[in-house]
Amino acid sequence: PRPKATTRGAQVFGLLSMLFCGWFSLENWPLWFADQRTDVGERREVALADGSRVQLNSHSALDVKFDGQQRVVELLTGEMWVEVAKDAKRPFVVRTEQGTATALGTRYLVRRTDDGATVVTVLESVVAAKANGAEAIKVMAGQQTRLKDGQAQAPQAIGNAEPDAWTRGLLKVDDRPVSEVLQALAGYRRGLVRFDTQALQGMRVSGVFRLDDTDAALATLAEVSEQQTHLR
Protein backbone atom coordinates (compact mmCIF):
# COMPACT_ATOMS: atom_id res chain seq x y z
CA PRO A 1 0.00 0.00 0.00
CA ARG A 2 2.79 2.38 0.83
CA PRO A 3 4.38 2.23 -2.66
CA LYS A 4 0.97 2.90 -4.21
CA ALA A 5 0.50 6.00 -2.05
CA THR A 6 3.95 7.20 -3.02
CA THR A 7 3.15 6.69 -6.68
CA ARG A 8 -0.15 8.55 -6.32
CA GLY A 9 1.62 11.42 -4.54
CA ALA A 10 4.21 11.61 -7.28
CA GLN A 11 1.45 11.71 -9.87
CA VAL A 12 -0.31 14.57 -8.06
CA PHE A 13 2.96 16.46 -7.67
CA GLY A 14 3.72 15.92 -11.33
CA LEU A 15 0.29 17.24 -12.33
CA LEU A 16 0.71 20.35 -10.16
CA SER A 17 4.14 20.92 -11.66
CA MET A 18 2.72 20.64 -15.16
CA LEU A 19 -0.06 23.09 -14.32
CA PHE A 20 2.43 25.56 -12.84
CA CYS A 21 4.75 25.24 -15.83
CA GLY A 22 1.79 25.72 -18.15
CA TRP A 23 0.73 28.87 -16.29
CA PHE A 24 4.30 30.17 -16.31
CA SER A 25 4.66 29.54 -20.02
CA LEU A 26 1.38 31.26 -20.82
CA GLU A 27 2.37 34.27 -18.70
CA ASN A 28 5.66 34.61 -20.58
CA TRP A 29 4.43 33.51 -24.00
CA PRO A 30 4.69 37.01 -25.57
CA LEU A 31 8.27 37.36 -24.34
CA TRP A 32 9.49 33.98 -25.55
CA PHE A 33 8.05 34.57 -29.01
CA ALA A 34 8.85 38.29 -29.30
CA ASP A 35 10.38 39.53 -32.56
CA GLN A 36 13.42 40.75 -30.64
CA ARG A 37 14.46 40.07 -27.04
CA THR A 38 17.53 40.20 -24.81
CA ASP A 39 18.61 38.07 -21.88
CA VAL A 40 19.57 39.42 -18.46
CA GLY A 41 22.77 41.42 -18.84
CA GLU A 42 22.53 41.45 -22.63
CA ARG A 43 22.16 44.53 -24.82
CA ARG A 44 21.51 44.42 -28.54
CA GLU A 45 21.21 46.81 -31.47
CA VAL A 46 18.72 46.00 -34.24
CA ALA A 47 18.26 47.62 -37.65
CA LEU A 48 14.56 47.72 -38.57
CA ALA A 49 13.21 47.30 -42.10
CA ASP A 50 12.50 51.04 -42.47
CA GLY A 51 16.08 52.05 -41.61
CA SER A 52 15.34 52.95 -37.98
CA ARG A 53 17.79 51.72 -35.34
CA VAL A 54 16.73 50.21 -32.03
CA GLN A 55 18.78 49.19 -29.02
CA LEU A 56 17.36 46.86 -26.39
CA ASN A 57 18.49 47.07 -22.79
CA SER A 58 18.94 44.08 -20.47
CA HIS A 59 15.99 41.66 -20.29
CA SER A 60 13.84 43.49 -22.84
CA ALA A 61 11.49 42.34 -25.59
CA LEU A 62 9.53 43.93 -28.43
CA ASP A 63 7.33 43.15 -31.40
CA VAL A 64 7.50 45.03 -34.71
CA LYS A 65 4.29 45.71 -36.64
CA PHE A 66 4.87 47.72 -39.82
CA ASP A 67 2.29 48.22 -42.55
CA GLY A 68 1.47 50.80 -45.24
CA GLN A 69 -0.08 53.26 -42.77
CA GLN A 70 2.12 53.20 -39.69
CA ARG A 71 5.17 51.75 -37.98
CA VAL A 72 4.39 50.31 -34.54
CA VAL A 73 6.86 48.81 -32.09
CA GLU A 74 5.28 47.19 -29.06
CA LEU A 75 7.59 47.18 -26.06
CA LEU A 76 6.64 44.07 -24.08
CA THR A 77 9.13 44.48 -21.24
CA GLY A 78 12.32 46.36 -20.39
CA GLU A 79 13.70 49.40 -22.17
CA MET A 80 14.50 50.50 -25.71
CA TRP A 81 16.39 53.32 -27.41
CA VAL A 82 15.28 54.26 -30.90
CA GLU A 83 16.63 56.47 -33.67
CA VAL A 84 13.78 56.88 -36.12
CA ALA A 85 14.19 56.95 -39.89
CA LYS A 86 12.11 59.66 -41.53
CA ASP A 87 8.92 58.58 -43.29
CA ALA A 88 6.31 61.31 -43.65
CA LYS A 89 3.59 58.84 -44.64
CA ARG A 90 4.02 56.41 -41.76
CA PRO A 91 4.31 57.66 -38.17
CA PHE A 92 6.62 55.73 -35.84
CA VAL A 93 4.89 54.67 -32.62
CA VAL A 94 6.18 52.83 -29.55
CA ARG A 95 3.28 51.22 -27.68
CA THR A 96 3.00 49.76 -24.17
CA GLU A 97 0.07 48.82 -21.94
CA GLN A 98 0.07 52.38 -20.58
CA GLY A 99 -0.03 54.31 -23.85
CA THR A 100 2.00 55.40 -26.85
CA ALA A 101 5.02 57.52 -27.75
CA THR A 102 4.89 58.84 -31.31
CA ALA A 103 8.06 60.24 -32.84
CA LEU A 104 7.95 63.80 -34.11
CA GLY A 105 11.73 63.73 -34.39
CA THR A 106 14.41 61.08 -34.11
CA ARG A 107 15.89 59.79 -30.85
CA TYR A 108 14.12 58.78 -27.63
CA LEU A 109 13.90 56.12 -24.92
CA VAL A 110 10.90 54.15 -23.71
CA ARG A 111 11.10 52.12 -20.50
CA ARG A 112 8.59 49.93 -18.69
CA THR A 113 9.07 50.16 -14.92
CA ASP A 114 8.56 47.51 -12.25
CA ASP A 115 5.45 49.31 -10.96
CA GLY A 116 3.72 49.13 -14.35
CA ALA A 117 4.40 52.66 -15.59
CA THR A 118 5.97 53.72 -18.89
CA VAL A 119 8.71 56.38 -18.90
CA VAL A 120 9.36 58.27 -22.14
CA THR A 121 12.63 60.24 -22.35
CA VAL A 122 13.37 62.44 -25.36
CA LEU A 123 16.97 62.84 -26.45
CA GLU A 124 16.43 64.78 -29.67
CA SER A 125 13.52 66.76 -31.18
CA VAL A 126 9.97 66.04 -29.90
CA VAL A 127 7.76 63.06 -29.00
CA ALA A 128 3.99 63.01 -28.59
CA ALA A 129 3.32 60.93 -25.46
CA LYS A 130 -0.23 59.74 -24.90
CA ALA A 131 -1.58 57.84 -21.91
CA ASN A 132 -4.53 55.58 -22.64
CA GLY A 133 -7.74 57.62 -22.71
CA ALA A 134 -5.95 60.96 -22.33
CA GLU A 135 -4.80 63.74 -24.62
CA ALA A 136 -1.32 63.57 -26.10
CA ILE A 137 1.35 65.86 -24.66
CA LYS A 138 4.53 67.04 -26.34
CA VAL A 139 7.79 66.07 -24.68
CA MET A 140 10.79 68.09 -25.80
CA ALA A 141 14.47 67.11 -26.02
CA GLY A 142 15.96 66.84 -22.52
CA GLN A 143 12.61 66.03 -20.94
CA GLN A 144 10.76 62.92 -19.83
CA THR A 145 7.25 61.96 -18.83
CA ARG A 146 5.64 59.05 -17.03
CA LEU A 147 2.49 57.31 -18.27
CA LYS A 148 0.33 55.34 -15.88
CA ASP A 149 -3.35 54.69 -15.18
CA GLY A 150 -4.57 56.96 -17.96
CA GLN A 151 -2.47 59.94 -16.91
CA ALA A 152 0.66 61.54 -18.33
CA GLN A 153 2.94 63.36 -15.92
CA ALA A 154 3.88 66.91 -16.91
CA PRO A 155 7.25 66.77 -18.72
CA GLN A 156 10.22 67.03 -16.38
CA ALA A 157 13.78 68.11 -17.27
CA ILE A 158 16.35 65.32 -17.01
CA GLY A 159 19.13 67.80 -16.16
CA ASN A 160 22.63 66.33 -16.20
CA ALA A 161 21.40 62.75 -16.17
CA GLU A 162 22.39 60.50 -19.05
CA PRO A 163 19.56 57.98 -19.28
CA ASP A 164 20.97 56.56 -22.52
CA ALA A 165 24.43 55.80 -21.06
CA TRP A 166 23.48 52.09 -21.00
CA THR A 167 23.59 52.10 -24.82
CA ARG A 168 27.36 52.61 -24.42
CA GLY A 169 27.64 49.96 -21.72
CA LEU A 170 27.74 52.44 -18.85
CA LEU A 171 25.70 53.40 -15.82
CA LYS A 172 26.27 57.05 -14.95
CA VAL A 173 24.97 58.38 -11.65
CA ASP A 174 25.20 61.82 -10.10
CA ASP A 175 24.53 62.04 -6.36
CA ARG A 176 22.06 59.14 -6.30
CA PRO A 177 21.10 56.90 -3.36
CA VAL A 178 23.37 53.85 -3.12
CA SER A 179 20.32 51.58 -2.83
CA GLU A 180 18.97 52.98 -6.12
CA VAL A 181 22.26 52.28 -7.90
CA LEU A 182 22.37 48.74 -6.49
CA GLN A 183 18.87 48.13 -7.79
CA ALA A 184 19.87 49.39 -11.23
CA LEU A 185 22.92 47.09 -11.32
CA ALA A 186 20.77 44.15 -10.25
CA GLY A 187 18.97 44.41 -13.58
CA TYR A 188 22.17 43.37 -15.35
CA ARG A 189 22.90 40.30 -13.21
CA ARG A 190 21.36 36.89 -12.74
CA GLY A 191 20.30 35.94 -9.24
CA LEU A 192 19.65 38.31 -6.37
CA VAL A 193 21.53 41.36 -5.19
CA ARG A 194 20.72 41.59 -1.48
CA PHE A 195 21.22 44.78 0.53
CA ASP A 196 19.81 46.47 3.61
CA THR A 197 17.90 49.51 2.42
CA GLN A 198 17.56 50.83 5.96
CA ALA A 199 21.31 50.57 6.62
CA LEU A 200 22.06 52.38 3.36
CA GLN A 201 19.60 55.18 4.01
CA GLY A 202 21.19 58.58 3.42
CA MET A 203 24.17 57.16 1.52
CA ARG A 204 24.67 58.62 -1.93
CA VAL A 205 27.16 58.11 -4.72
CA SER A 206 28.34 59.64 -8.00
CA GLY A 207 30.32 57.79 -10.62
CA VAL A 208 30.49 55.78 -13.82
CA PHE A 209 30.11 52.00 -13.70
CA ARG A 210 30.71 49.47 -16.47
CA LEU A 211 27.70 47.27 -17.10
CA ASP A 212 29.88 44.44 -18.41
CA ASP A 213 31.68 44.22 -15.05
CA THR A 214 29.03 44.49 -12.37
CA ASP A 215 31.26 42.63 -9.90
CA ALA A 216 33.66 45.58 -9.93
CA ALA A 217 30.76 48.03 -9.63
CA LEU A 218 29.36 46.21 -6.60
CA ALA A 219 32.80 46.09 -4.99
CA THR A 220 33.15 49.86 -5.46
CA LEU A 221 29.72 50.50 -3.95
CA ALA A 222 30.56 48.28 -0.98
CA GLU A 223 33.72 50.32 -0.40
CA VAL A 224 31.85 53.63 -0.70
CA SER A 225 29.18 52.43 1.72
CA GLU A 226 31.80 51.34 4.26
CA GLN A 227 33.55 54.70 4.03
CA GLN A 228 30.31 56.61 4.52
CA THR A 229 29.40 54.37 7.46
CA HIS A 230 32.65 55.28 9.24
CA LEU A 231 31.97 58.99 8.67
CA ARG A 232 28.61 58.87 10.40
Side-chain angles (χ1 to χ4, degrees), residues 44-46 48 52-56 62 80-82 92:
R44 179 185 304 166
E45 181 169 333
V46 179
L48 302 182
S52 297
R53 291 193 304 133
V54 167
Q55 288 195 51
L56 288 176
L62 58 79
M80 62 176 285
W81 168 99
V82 59
F92 191 101

Side-chain angles (χ1 to χ4, degrees), residues 12-25:
V12 171
F13 178 78
L15 177 59
L16 290 173
S17 297
M18 289 174 63
L19 289 174
F20 174 78
C21 290
W23 170 84
F24 184 83
S25 297

Side-chain angles (χ1 to χ4, degrees), residues 35-165:
D35 292 335
Q36 298 288 341
R37 66 185 181 93
T38 53
D39 204 347
V40 175
E42 178 187 8
R43 301 181 309 280
R44 179 185 304 166
E45 181 169 333
V46 179
L48 302 182
D50 67 331
S52 297
R53 291 193 304 133
V54 167
Q55 288 195 51
L56 288 176
N57 204 347
S58 171
H59 191 47
S60 300
L62 58 79
D63 281 336
V64 181
K65 302 174 183 178
F66 286 6
D67 58 31
Q69 283 73 48
Q70 61 181 352
R71 299 168 290 169
V72 177
V73 174
E74 185 172 358
L75 182 62
L76 304 173
T77 191
E79 182 176 18
M80 62 176 285
W81 168 99
V82 59
E83 184 174 66
V84 181
K86 293 182 179 180
D87 186 339
K89 296 181 179 180
R90 295 187 303 166
F92 191 101
V93 182
V94 178
R95 176 182 296 155
T96 71
E97 291 181 350
Q98 296 295 335
T100 59
T102 303
L104 304 178
T106 52
R107 291 188 295 121
Y108 61 108
L109 299 163
V110 181
R111 174 169 58 92
R112 296 186 62 156
T113 66
D114 292 339
D115 66 352
T118 294
V119 176
V120 180
T121 304
V122 182
L123 304 173
E124 184 177 295
S125 195
V126 187
V127 167
K130 183 180 184 302
N132 294 330
E135 295 292 327
I137 63 171
K138 287 188 177 182
V139 187
M140 313 299 290
Q143 294 182 331
Q144 69 178 200
T145 186
R146 178 182 172 94
L147 311 179
K148 189 176 182 183
D149 299 332
Q151 295 184 335
Q153 180 188 58
Q156 305 289 319
I158 62 175
N160 295 326
E162 293 189 40
D164 61 335

